[in-house]
């Protein structure tokens, strides 16, 4: 059924954010800790191609996607897969600062992080570096209060560090403005507009 799902467009006055998380514990906490309507999708682990395509159709209908997962190899792969499928999606509390905050105190005893499978974190290069330096995974549950606050606000964290600004070339900006430029410029994240 999911492969045929057609999503309605948001109303003009409606908050357009849909949050995507990896862990059912975040969804369970949202059921009890967030009043009213919460637009939260939970992949319960690595999303399938069908799930990714459904999220892409959701974005194509006009919804804005904020994605997050655990700070481990699978979690980073999930975020990269969503960003590759829905390039206009934004990361949600997935920075080096968020990772560091997730380490202390950790609700679970973390194992050892396999640094060989981490890959890169283009939305915040400092994140992969911090994870390699620490050698420990961290889990979404460590940020549960912050995540619930974002869900109550129905908006991704407004305090995302400047290091997560999406970078693009002025040539890309030129496509939008009709000018041809080649230097690099920072683009404000969608939640800042």
């Amino acid at each position: 059924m999911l492969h045929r799902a057609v999503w309605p467009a948001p109303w003009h006055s409606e908050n357009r954010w849909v949050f995507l998380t990896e862990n059912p514990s975040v969804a369970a906490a949202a059921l009890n800790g967030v009043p009213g309507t919460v637009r939260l999708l939970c992949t319960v682990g690595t999303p399938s191609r069908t799930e990714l395509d459904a999220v892409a159709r959701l974005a194509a209908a006009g919804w804005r996607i904020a994605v997050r997962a655990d700070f481990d190899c699978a979690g980073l792969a999930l975020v990269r897969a969503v960003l590759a499928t829905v390039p206009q999606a934004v990361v949600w509390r997935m920075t080096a600062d968020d990772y560091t905050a997730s380490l202390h105190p950790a609700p679970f005893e973390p194992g050892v992080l396999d640094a060989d499978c981490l890959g890169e974190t283009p939305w915040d290069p400092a994140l992969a570096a911090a994870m390699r330096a620490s050698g420990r995974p961290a889990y979404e549950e460590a940020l549960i209060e912050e995540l619930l606050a974002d869900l109550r606000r129905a908006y991704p964290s407004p305090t995302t560090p400047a290091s997560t600004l999406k970078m693009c070339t002025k040539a890309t900006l030129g496509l939008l403005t009709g000018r041809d430029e080649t230097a690099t410029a920072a683009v404000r994240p969608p939640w800042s507009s």
Side-chain angles (χ1 to χ4, degrees):
M1 288 299 174
L2 189 57
H3 68 280
R4 289 183 286 163
V6 178
W7 307 106
W11 295 83
H12 291 297
S13 62
E14 191 170 30
N15 183 304
R16 295 172 180 253
W17 285 103
V18 174
F19 296 86
L20 189 136
T21 183
E22 174 184 18
N23 289 320
S25 59
V26 176
L31 282 174
N32 296 318
V34 181
T37 302
V38 176
R39 291 189 187 90
L40 178 64
L41 302 176
C42 180
T43 63
V44 190
T46 304
S48 68
R49 181 78 254 161
T50 299
E51 290 169 313
L52 290 171
D53 290 344
V55 172
R57 287 193 310 278
L58 191 61
W63 296 96
R64 299 181 80 183
I65 308 299
V67 59
R68 68 154 294 104
D70 287 331
F71 293 101
D72 60 12
C73 295
L76 296 184
L78 181 155
V79 172
R80 282 192 299 270
V82 171
L83 293 176
T85 304
V86 184
Q88 67 272 32
V90 298
V91 294
W92 172 34
R93 293 194 184 268
M94 287 292 293
T95 66
D97 290 340
D98 297 317
Y99 168 71
T100 301
S102 297
L103 292 173
H104 310 287
F108 305 108
E109 186 59 37
V112 176
L113 184 66
D114 181 2
D116 292 335
C117 71
L118 274 181
E120 297 305 314
T121 52
W123 61 90
D124 185 11
L127 172 59
M131 291 175 71
R132 284 185 181 94
S134 167
R136 290 177 45 200
Y139 304 102
E140 289 189 273
E141 293 83 355
L143 293 175
I144 199 68
E145 292 307 318
E146 293 86 349
L147 300 178
L148 293 177
D150 293 343
L151 292 171
R152 284 184 205 104
R153 191 174 45 253
Y155 215 69
S157 169
T159 59
T160 301
S163 64
T164 63
L165 293 177
K166 293 183 180 180
M167 299 302 291
C168 69
T169 64
K170 283 192 177 178
T172 303
L173 292 175
L175 293 173
L176 300 174
T177 63
R179 294 182 297 211
D180 183 21
E181 302 176 36
T182 56
T184 301
V187 176
R188 292 172 56 101
W191 57 84
S192 66
S193 53

